[in-house]
Amino acid sequence: MPALPGGTTPDGALTGLHPAFRILLLLVLAALLFQYSLAALGMVLALVLLGAATDGRETLAGIISALRRIRWLLLSIVVIYLWIAPEPGPAGASAWLPSWDELDTALRRSGVLVVLVAAVELLRRRTGAPHMAAGLVFLLQPLAWLGLEIEVFARRLALTLEAVPLTAERVAGAAGGRRPGVAGWGDAAAALVRDVEADAIALPTGAELPVLASPGVRDWLVLGSGVAGCLLLAQLP
């Protein structure tokens, strides 16, 4: 079995679908989400939450926490599509009472973000930064023939996906435990900066990637079924 450049055998093999195919499925889903109806978005979200629930309470709680962090953004999207920049409607329609088409558009746009955030968080928690980076290297291997340093890019992207939610949790924790007044905000900011700097110093920049086996027949079947399912959902009314 050929090893990826810079790879080492992992302590524990990742079970389930090949990491590269997990990323591919997420990309296919993201490309089709804007074509989905509300019913299709609801079905995908239910599948993502079911997958999170089977992985444990911590994964499900992580997805719910990630969705809570974007609640104001979701509300903003709904407000924009309903009242600030609504779809052109028939003459004489009420400016304050949105039509069903406007409500459907607003909910679908916010639903796309909900599904995408939930799917990315599920991928991050079930795959982990090292295997995500290795999966990206696997997918981008043809670009290495052109002399591009795909391993550096893959590591940075995977670590970014890993760091963003952790940083958001630290920000929320620092804000919640601060002292009253401006001085409390200063203390919380200083503590947050110290934590981020400590992590940056401790980061193993020379860490090697896990070795990924070539995708098996089961992986190809699951990938094909997943892509077909994504395409079928785009046909739902």
Side-chain angles (χ1 to χ4, degrees):
M1 175 182 67
L4 291 175
T8 57
T9 304
D11 294 333
L14 185 70
T15 59
L17 185 62
H18 194 281
F21 284 4
R22 297 183 186 191
I23 298 171
L24 268 180
L25 272 180
L26 177 63
L27 293 176
V28 171
L29 178 64
L32 294 172
L33 275 179
F34 280 97
Q35 302 178 31
Y36 284 8
S37 64
L38 274 178
L41 289 172
M43 291 176 64
V44 176
L45 181 60
L47 288 174
V48 171
L49 294 178
L50 179 61
T54 58
D55 197 49
R57 287 186 61 183
E58 185 177 351
T59 300
L60 184 58
I63 290 179
I64 294 174
S65 177
L67 294 177
R68 286 186 60 193
R69 288 195 293 269
I70 62 169
R71 62 188 182 277
W72 296 114
L73 177 58
L74 295 174
L75 180 60
S76 301
I77 292 174
V78 172
V79 170
I80 288 172
Y81 275 95
L82 290 185
W83 290 289
I84 297 178
E87 296 288 331
S94 172
W96 298 104
L97 295 178
S99 65
W100 167 249
D101 289 339
E102 292 170 343
L103 184 61
D104 178 72
T105 300
L107 292 178
R108 281 194 295 112
R109 293 295 179 265
S110 57
V112 166
L113 183 58
V114 168
V115 171
L116 195 54
V117 168
V120 169
E121 184 68 9
L122 179 63
L123 172 68
R124 185 186 74 83
R125 287 181 173 271
R126 295 198 64 170
T127 306
H131 284 92
M132 280 197 296
L136 286 169
V137 171
F138 189 95
L139 293 175
L140 299 176
Q141 194 61 40
L143 297 180
W145 302 335
L146 303 177
L148 299 180
E149 295 183 354
I150 58 174
E151 289 183 55
V152 175
F153 167 75
R155 283 194 183 97
R156 289 178 178 174
L157 181 58
L159 288 173
T160 299
L161 290 173
E162 191 76 15
V164 166
L166 296 179
T167 303
E169 291 174 3
R170 284 177 176 168
V171 170
R178 67 180 178 87
R179 291 184 298 159
V182 177
W185 284 109
D187 293 343
L192 180 62
V193 169
R194 285 196 299 269
D195 289 342
V196 172
E197 288 178 345
D199 283 352
I201 294 173
L203 183 64
T205 54
E208 296 184 337
L209 301 182
V211 174
L212 296 182
S214 298
V217 176
R218 176 182 174 276
D219 294 311
W220 285 102
L221 289 175
V222 173
L223 176 65
S225 301
V227 171
C230 290
L231 292 172
L232 287 175
L233 285 172
Q235 307 303 316
L236 285 180

